[in-house]
Amino acid sequence: METDNETETETETETETETETETETETETISPNTTISITKNLVLSNGISIAAESATYYVALYEDEDCTILASDVMALNYAGASSATVSLTGMEAGKTYYISECDASGNAVTLGTTADGVVYTPEYSGANTIVLENENASVSASFVNEYYDMPNGFYYEGSLTITKKLLSVDGEALDSDAVFYAGIFEDASYTTLSDRVEANIVELNLAGGSEISQTVSVSVAEEETVTLYVTEVDADGNPVAGASGFLYTVTVDGSTVTLDSSNLTATVEITNQEYEDVEEESEEYEETETESETESDAVQTGDNTPIAPYMSLMFLALGVLLLGGFYRKKRV
């Protein structure tokens, strides 16, 4: 016959065993190798990308579809002259479904937002706003957008400028190289003031063993504004190199002046360098010519360039005197 004490002991043992099993199972499903990345983009209702000069939003993961139970920390999405921002977190539970939602700083889900100047926006998720980590090493990315129904204050259109660099040989053939070149983006046609309207105003163009490279930078364009930019090849400090001493290429810029506005937010520029005729070979030929000239001037002379006519006249005069003297001597005899 079991006593109450025995029954209590068995119950406690079973409870402890169940608790330990649950703890072990929970520990086994959480992995520090899981990674979740969440990106939010800013767009107008017509789908055009816009950027914020300075803005902060928040996002979090939730346990439930209604996004009421937090499953992660609240994470800040900071924008500084950008149209997108990304946050990442690790160590989430494998094999579990999470729900993404924009939220406020306290973790309350946001389904309809308003900017400081009253512009309404909605978070829009592509498909379901869910993330599933399939295994303990899973790495998952997700994205959503804030869709604005008007242009908020402190926001602007994000244009793009693509610069392509090509390198050609003397013969006009593509020339592979490891050289690094630079393009400068300026406010003026004289290339004196670098622009502050672009993501980077000195753009590195590293051929990295090839003959062609393209880089794209973003351009800020305010509403109802036209932006004109001037592009040329420069050195690392932003000084134009066309015709500069020691730069061994011709510089041709196709589309050096670009204009962007809300209806035209993309532009392209192509910079082509072509080798001059072999400068080194020409230099060697010049040096050889100079050396030959110096050798000829320093060599022992085999003839005399001194004028001899006066001396010949004196010689004939002396000869005449001698002959005349001999004639008179003979006459006296």
Side-chain angles (χ1 to χ4, degrees):
M1 180 176 176
E2 292 184 353
T3 64
D4 290 341
N5 288 338
E6 290 176 348
T7 302
E8 289 176 3
T9 302
E10 289 176 1
T11 301
E12 289 174 359
T13 302
E14 289 175 2
T15 301
E16 289 174 359
T17 302
E18 289 174 359
T19 302
E20 288 175 1
T21 302
E22 289 175 0
T23 302
E24 288 174 0
T25 302
E26 185 175 328
T27 302
E28 289 173 358
T29 57
I30 294 177
S31 171
N33 296 325
T34 57
T35 302
I36 297 175
S37 296
I38 304 171
T39 298
K40 186 176 81 167
N41 300 295
L42 311 178
V43 300
L44 291 175
S45 56
N46 59 7
I48 294 178
S49 178
I50 59 175
E53 291 179 5
S54 178
T56 299
Y57 296 91
Y58 300 92
V59 67
L61 296 181
Y62 294 84
E63 300 272 0
D64 61 317
E65 188 175 356
D66 293 330
C67 298
T68 60
I69 304 171
L70 283 169
S72 72
D73 293 334
V74 174
M75 297 165 286
L77 291 158
N78 296 308
Y79 296 78
S83 62
S84 67
T86 301
V87 293
S88 297
L89 64 161
T90 59
M92 301 302 290
E93 185 175 337
K96 185 173 181 177
T97 299
Y98 294 98
Y99 298 86
I100 307 167
S101 179
E102 181 163 342
C103 60
D104 59 22
S106 299
N108 301 303
V110 172
T111 56
L112 186 69
T114 306
T115 63
D117 58 330
V119 175
V120 175
Y121 67 89
T122 57
E124 299 288 344
Y125 305 89
S126 55
N129 62 326
T130 57
I131 285 180
V132 179
L133 296 170
E134 299 290 348
N135 55 62
E136 295 180 358
N137 296 304
S139 179
V140 180
S141 297
S143 64
F144 67 103
V145 301
N146 269 10
E147 187 175 292
Y148 297 83
Y149 295 93
D150 200 355
M151 180 74 79
N153 291 337
F155 286 61
Y156 51 83
Y157 293 105
E158 187 175 59
S160 65
L161 170 59
T162 299
I163 302 173
T164 298
K165 171 60 179 264
K166 295 181 178 180
L167 185 62
L168 304 178
S169 67
V170 174
D171 301 325
E173 300 295 328
L175 179 64
D176 292 341
S177 173
D178 289 319
V180 178
F181 299 90
Y182 300 89
I185 306 172
F186 294 84
E187 295 282 353
D188 62 312
S190 300
Y191 309 122
T192 59
T193 305
L194 289 165
S195 176
D196 60 1
R197 307 298 300 272
V198 291
E199 178 185 4
N201 51 31
I202 298 177
V203 183
E204 181 179 294
L205 300 165
N206 187 349
L207 292 177
S211 63
E212 182 176 332
I213 183 69
S214 293
Q215 295 287 1
T216 299
V217 296
S218 60
V219 183
S220 60
V221 181
E223 195 172 20
E224 299 181 359
E225 179 188 33
T226 298
V227 176
T228 301
L229 301 171
Y230 304 87
V231 182
T232 192
E233 186 161 6
V234 297
D235 60 20
D237 297 319
N239 303 303
V241 297
S245 176
F247 192 72
L248 305 181
Y249 306 93
T250 61
V251 179
T252 303
V253 183
D254 184 13
S256 60
T257 303
V258 300
T259 301
L260 298 94
D261 55 34
S262 60
S263 63
N264 176 38
L265 291 169
T266 60
T268 59
V269 174
E270 184 174 286
I271 301 175
T272 302
N273 285 155
Q274 184 169 359
E275 286 184 318
Y276 284 116
E277 294 294 333
D278 196 337
V279 176
E280 184 176 342
E281 184 177 319
E282 290 180 359
S283 177
E284 289 177 356
E285 290 176 357
Y286 175 78
E287 290 176 359
E288 289 176 4
T289 303
E290 288 292 304
T291 302
E292 289 174 3
S293 298
E294 291 174 2
T295 302
E296 289 176 0
S297 62
D298 292 341
V300 176
Q301 301 295 321
T302 56
D304 192 347
N305 293 328
T306 305
I308 63 172
Y311 297 101
M312 291 293 292
S313 299
L314 290 174
M315 184 180 69
F316 285 120
L317 181 60
L319 181 59
V321 170
L322 289 175
L323 290 174
L324 186 59
F327 173 77
Y328 280 114
R329 194 179 302 112
K330 186 175 180 181
K331 190 173 180 179
R332 284 183 191 141
V333 175

